[in-house]
Every structure is written in C-alpha cells, then in structure tokens.
Amino acid sequence: MRVEVRAESWPIAGGFRIARGARANAEVLVVELQEGDLIGRGECVPYARYGETTASVEEQIRSAFHNVDDEPTLASLADRLPAGAARNAVDCALWDLEARRAGRPVSTMLGSVSAVDEVVTMRTISIGTPQAMADAAKAFPEGSVLKVKVDGDDSLGRLSAVHEAVPSARLVVDANESWSSTQLERWLPRLPELGVVVLEQPLPAQQDESLASFRGGLPFCADESFHDRASFDAIADRYDMVNLKLDKAGGLTEAWAALEEARRRGLKTMVGCMVSTSLAIAPALVLAPRVDFVDLDGPLLLERDRRGTRHDASRSLLRASSEVWGG
C-alpha cells in the first residue's frame, strides 16, 4: 500500500472567528492510500485546542505505516493511534478504500438502508459586531438553524441582534468554553426568548461540573468536554447532548460507535466539524440522518472547495459525491 500525506491550506471567505481566536485559512492534512488502481482518501484538521499541530499529526500518521508488513486496518487502527485528527484521516481513508473495493457506499456498509444523498446543515455565524452578525444571519433561508458563535463579551447583545434580524431562526449558541459560571447564571434565563434551542459548551471543560445545577431547561451540548465513548461517564450529569466530531473521536469508526452509545443512553446528538473541505465532511454525512442536529457547513465557509462537490450553499444543502469520498 502506497501512503501519501500532504498539508493543504484553503482560504476562508471573509475569515472566521470564535472565542479562541480568528483564522483566515483552513489548514488540513490529506492522507491518500493507494492499492493497485484504487485510492482511498481522508482529511483531518489538527486541533490546536488539544496540542495538535500539522507536524505532529503528520508524524503520527506516518508512524501508523512504519511497518509495511503490518499495515493498519479499520479493526487495528485504534490500537495504533489515539483518538484525534491523525486517526481520523487514516480511518476515513481506509473506509474510502474499502468502499471502492466493494463498489458500494460507506453508509450501506455500516448498515444503513440506503446511501446518504442530501443533508440540510445549520449555518454558522462567526463572532463580530452585533450588526455584522445580524447582517450575516439575514443571508440564510428563513427558518434556518443557525450556530451563533459567542464569547464572554456582550453575548446577549450579539444574540439579540441575530434574533431581531431573523426571528424565525432557531439558534444554537456555541460559547467554546468562554463563559464563566456567573455569566451562565445571568444569561441562561434570557436565552429561550432569543430563539435559542441549544447551548453548546458554555464553560471550560475542566470547570463544567457546575452545569449539573443548571440543567432542566435549555439543552446543554458537550463539545470540548466530549471526544469519544470514553467521555460518556464524565459528562453524564452535565449535558443533554453530545457533539460528535470525527477529528476528536478519531474517525468514522469511533464516531459511529459513539452515536450508538449516545442513543442507548438517551442523549441527543449533533454531528459537527471543523472548517475544512468536503473531503473531511463527507464521512460525517454518513452520521447525519441519525442525529438530532447537523452542523457540517465547514466547506460552505471556504472561498472554494474540492472538485466534484455538489453542495447548494444557497439552500444550506450538502450532497454526497462519490468523486470526493465514499465509493
């Protein structure tokens, strides 16, 4: 099996800002696995929040193929790489290769009745001035689900501006760990009247034990506090929903298993993403029909996407493409 790993940079249209900072480009790593005439591809985004860099993730990927006589498989990959971006890229490349060998989509290989074709995603409003965020919200179809990024600075002002601009929209508020317990206590009662239906990761993961005392109204979604199945026990009394991201879980294999476990535990689910191209989003589309919220607009934030994509950004519609991934 021939292995190629390369770093790529994709410009973000207008830039992107969340509580942890701003960026102008999506920095991704692509893995290609070639077996004869078949090529399987996967993409990941190194997660700085967890100490990952492009260089460190690339080294992890290469280490998995160090022994050419014992190359990784979908069954053995979790024993070779920890959960994270590197395992995600390899896992998704292996699934793509397996689908091309079998001549059928990954979704049917995992037990779905039919292949995933079209999925509607929520759209993301990056942090800006209240007016800028309101203007951005107006660009999306009426009745959309919008993910509104906030930090600890004038969060209610920003949310109020978005709600007034698009009162029919359902808002998923993502604080990316930026609020304090005091801010949460003060702001939480106001959120439902502003169209908010989910509050995602308001407190730092290391300080979220106090969330247990706030539960009972607006659903709380774990993002930075949730990675894979090993995270469930720690979040059990704190969150009502988990955000399944392949870059955290370590690929489609673990994300699919975590989705099944979340359903068994009675937790709602969201499938999320980093800002990336459609090569990273395509495996996550496999989960989309089975979750409560879809947050996969990463490629719609880019100035351009990969060849072969079939999305309709004007309708927030993502379409699977066998040319991109998945057989």
Side-chain angles (χ1 to χ4, degrees):
M1 182 184 293
R2 183 185 65 81
V3 182
E4 181 179 333
V5 186
R6 64 177 179 272
E8 297 178 350
S9 183
W10 295 77
I12 300 172
F16 187 73
R17 182 186 164 206
I18 65 172
R20 278 193 292 274
R23 74 192 79 164
N25 298 283
E27 307 294 343
V28 308
L29 279 169
V30 175
V31 173
E32 289 189 354
L33 307 179
Q34 183 169 0
E35 191 172 82
D37 294 333
L38 300 176
I39 297 178
R41 298 191 301 164
E43 177 183 315
C44 69
V45 181
Y47 224 128
R49 166 67 174 79
Y50 305 115
E52 295 178 340
T53 66
T54 299
S56 70
V57 172
E58 181 174 351
E59 178 59 30
Q60 280 186 298
I61 293 169
R62 294 191 184 282
S63 72
F65 295 91
H66 180 70
N67 185 352
V68 295
D69 295 322
D70 185 24
E71 292 171 336
T73 64
L74 285 168
S76 69
L77 189 57
D79 295 327
R80 295 170 180 263
L81 291 172
R87 196 211 293 175
N88 177 33
V90 178
D91 180 84
C92 291
L94 287 169
W95 273 112
D96 189 30
L97 186 62
E98 186 63 28
R100 297 183 191 283
R101 283 195 199 111
R104 60 193 182 103
V106 170
S107 53
T108 62
M109 296 172 68
L110 280 166
S112 295
V113 175
S114 60
V116 177
D117 186 26
E118 296 185 343
V119 172
V120 175
T121 179
M122 69 175 74
R123 303 301 297 272
T124 302
I125 308 297
S126 176
I127 294 175
T129 66
Q131 186 59 56
M133 295 175 72
D135 291 343
K138 292 175 184 176
F140 301 125
E142 186 175 347
S144 294
V145 180
L146 301 180
K147 173 164 281 193
V148 184
K149 296 286 189 177
V150 296
D151 53 20
D153 180 21
D154 193 27
S155 292
L156 283 191
R158 290 176 168 129
L159 291 171
S160 296
V162 171
H163 179 59
E164 290 174 11
V166 286
S168 66
R170 293 187 294 157
L171 307 184
V172 175
V173 175
D174 187 3
N176 288 113
E177 305 181 277
S178 65
W179 289 5
S180 67
S181 292
T182 300
Q183 288 171 322
L184 177 62
E185 183 176 16
R186 186 167 69 246
W187 293 338
L188 184 60
R190 293 282 314 280
L191 298 184
E193 66 191 55
L194 298 176
V196 178
V197 296
V198 175
L199 177 58
E200 185 174 350
Q201 198 70 45
L203 304 180
Q206 299 83 352
Q207 302 171 23
D208 66 358
E209 64 278 357
S210 64
L211 286 179
S213 63
F214 291 103
R215 288 179 69 189
L218 194 67
F220 294 159
C221 180
D223 183 359
E224 287 85 352
S225 291
F226 181 84
H227 294 247
D228 55 16
R229 283 174 292 174
S231 304
F232 277 111
D233 288 343
I235 66 153
D237 64 341
R238 305 173 189 183
Y239 293 95
D240 311 283
M241 180 185 301
V242 294
N243 189 336
L244 302 163
K245 288 182 178 176
L246 274 61
D247 275 316
K248 291 186 302 176
L252 177 59
T253 302
E254 176 60 27
W256 183 270
L259 171 59
E260 293 297 302
E261 179 64 12
R263 290 159 64 97
R264 189 186 71 78
R265 291 175 178 249
L267 293 170
K268 291 187 178 297
T269 51
M270 177 187 300
V271 59
C273 67
M274 306 292 281
V275 184
S276 58
T277 80
S278 285
L279 179 56
I281 297 304
L285 288 178
V286 176
L287 304 178
R290 299 167 61 86
V291 302
D292 298 285
F293 287 88
V294 177
D295 177 26
L296 296 177
D297 70 339
L300 305 184
L301 299 171
L302 302 177
E303 290 184 1
R304 57 185 177 86
D305 198 0
R306 295 190 185 276
R307 186 180 68 184
T309 54
R310 304 168 48 237
H311 310 318
D312 184 347
S314 67
R315 298 167 58 198
S316 302
L317 196 65
L318 302 174
R319 294 191 178 99
S321 168
S322 60
E323 184 177 347
V324 176
W325 185 87

